[in-house]
Every structure is written in structure tokens, then in C-alpha cells.
Amino acid sequence: MTLSRPRALTVAVALLSVPLTLAPVLSPPAQALTVYDPWNYAENMISAARALEQINNQITSLQNEAQMLINQARNLASLPHSSLQQIQQSVQRTQQLLGQAQSITFDVGQIDQAFQQRYGNIPLSASDAHLVAGARSRWQTTVGGLQDALRVQAGVVGNVDANRAEMATLVGQSQGATGALQATQAGNQLLALQSQQLSDLIAVMSANGRAEALSEAERATAAEQGREQRRRFLTPGAGYQAGTARMFSN
């Protein structure tokens, strides 16, 4: 079958136009395609989850370390209150009162010397005036010892109010302690306050014991002096001389 020239031209044009019409329908090259792989996607998600978990673990570890440092800082924090000065002042007041002891102080050497001079054996050759002077001196020492004991007792009683206020402060500091060091320091200061109170008690007992010892020493020496004076009184020619007494005159 022979086509006419115009028809042949039409068919040629149609054939030439076929690739142009089908071009958008044809698939692109393989290297230009985006392929979705579910297994690869799942592995990527697992890897991302593991990485996120590691980051969370690191953050938790840092938080724990920060909290540990905060706790250490609290445990090492020093107590803001100190009762050392108050305790030292109370002890010094009591020591001053003990140091002001009259006549015979709390010194071993002075005590031995005073007892040899004032409370030793009554010399047989001593005059009556000397015996009286010695008895008066011992009486004054005894009275001074009693006064010293009362002064020490008054000083210790004066420390009671200050100790009570300091104890309340330390108990409050202990209860409000933010760390182990503050609690320990508060406990140590409470022990120091108790030691100061114990030293006050010892001071009172020492002053009272001194006063009692001086009273007993005076009593013993007075008994010895009384025996000497009685001996002198009963000695012929040295004591009482009998004589005639007139009650009424004529």
C-alpha cells in the first residue's frame, strides 16, 4: 500500500512525537531513586535510642556527683556559733575567786608552812598574849575560809544563767545542723559546757572542803591550847593563887 506524501509526513511526525509524549512516564535512572529500607530505619532508631539513653545516664551521673558534692559541702560546713569565749569567761571567773582565797591559798607549799606555824604543837614557853594572838589568827583564817567558800558558791550560781542560755543555743544549733561537722561541733561544745559546769562543781567542793578543814584545824589547835592553858593554871606557883575574899566589909 502506497501512502501519499502528505499522509506519510503525518505518520512520521506522529512517530517522532511518541518519545516526547512518553518521556514523563518513563522511570528516572536508578541512582536518582530514594529507597525506603525498614530494617535500616529500625537500626537507626535503636542506635538513636541507645545514644539518648547514654546521654541520660551521663546526666544522671553528673546530677548524682553534684548532689554528692553538695552533701560533702554541707558535712564540711563549720558551725556558725562558738561557745568557747563564754565557757572561758566562766572558768576564769571561778579561777579568780579561788585565787582570792584569804590567808591560806590553794598551794601545797603555803599550806604546809601555815600549818607548821599556826596549827602545830603549842610551844610550852609561849606567853599568854602569844597564845591569844595565835588563837585569834586561826579564828580569822577560819572565818576567811568560810567567806571564800560563800564567794565561790555565789560565783558558780552566777554562771548558771549564762550556762543555761548557752546550752539552749547549742541545742538549737545541733538540731538545726545541716551536716555532720556542724552536728559534731555542736556536740563537742555541749561537752565543753558540761566540763565547765563540772569544774564549777569541783571548785565549790574544794572551797567548802577548805573551809571545813580550816575549822577542824582550828578546833584541834584550840583543844591543844586549852590543855596547855589548863596545865599552866594547875601548875603550882604559875596559875591561880588562893586568897581571902571578903564579900561584905564591916
Side-chain angles (χ1 to χ4, degrees):
M1 176 178 169
T2 303
L3 297 175
S4 64
R5 183 180 181 136
R7 187 173 181 80
L9 182 60
T10 301
V11 173
V13 171
L15 292 173
L16 291 174
S17 63
V18 170
L20 295 177
T21 304
L22 297 176
V25 182
L26 296 177
S27 300
Q31 61 271 18
L33 293 175
T34 300
V35 180
Y36 173 75
D37 187 354
W39 295 104
N40 188 23
Y41 178 77
E43 290 180 357
N44 291 336
M45 291 297 295
I46 294 174
S47 298
R50 290 176 178 174
L52 181 60
E53 184 179 2
Q54 291 179 355
I55 294 174
N56 290 334
N57 292 336
Q58 291 176 355
I59 293 175
T60 303
S61 178
L62 292 175
Q63 290 176 345
N64 293 334
E65 291 179 0
Q67 186 63 39
M68 181 180 64
L69 292 176
I70 292 174
N71 292 335
Q72 289 179 354
R74 289 178 178 176
N75 289 332
L76 295 177
S78 179
L79 191 69
H81 177 76
S82 176
S83 60
L84 179 60
Q85 183 177 3
Q86 174 64 36
I87 294 174
Q88 287 179 338
Q89 290 177 354
S90 298
V91 173
Q92 288 176 357
R93 283 194 295 268
T94 303
Q95 287 179 338
Q96 289 176 356
L97 292 174
L98 291 175
Q100 295 172 0
Q102 305 175 48
S103 300
I104 301 177
T105 62
F106 292 92
D107 180 80
V108 176
Q110 186 176 1
I111 290 173
D112 292 340
Q113 182 179 2
F115 266 74
Q116 289 177 2
Q117 294 177 353
R118 303 180 188 180
Y119 301 96
N121 294 327
I122 300 299
L124 300 179
S125 60
S127 62
D128 291 339
H130 181 76
L131 294 178
V132 172
R136 183 173 182 81
S137 176
R138 289 187 294 272
W139 172 80
Q140 291 176 346
T141 300
T142 300
V143 174
L146 294 172
Q147 183 181 4
D148 293 337
L150 292 175
R151 295 177 72 248
V152 172
Q153 292 173 12
V156 170
V157 171
N159 291 336
V160 171
D161 289 337
N163 292 339
R164 178 185 57 80
E166 194 65 29
M167 182 178 297
T169 301
L170 289 175
V171 171
Q173 291 288 332
S174 177
Q175 292 177 346
T178 58
L181 180 59
Q182 288 190 0
T184 302
Q185 289 179 339
N188 290 339
Q189 293 187 42
L190 283 171
L191 291 176
L193 182 61
Q194 291 179 356
S195 298
Q196 182 266 320
Q197 293 174 337
L198 180 60
S199 66
D200 278 352
L201 179 60
I202 294 175
V204 171
M205 295 176 61
S206 299
N208 291 340
R210 173 177 176 269
E212 292 177 1
L214 291 175
S215 298
E216 291 296 328
E218 181 197 3
R219 187 177 297 109
T221 306
E224 178 65 19
Q225 181 173 332
R227 285 192 291 270
E228 174 60 22
Q229 289 177 335
R230 184 173 63 254
R231 184 192 65 80
R232 293 185 182 185
F233 180 80
L234 297 177
T235 299
Y240 172 75
Q241 299 292 331
T244 301
R246 291 185 178 184
M247 297 297 294
F248 303 100
S249 60
N250 295 330

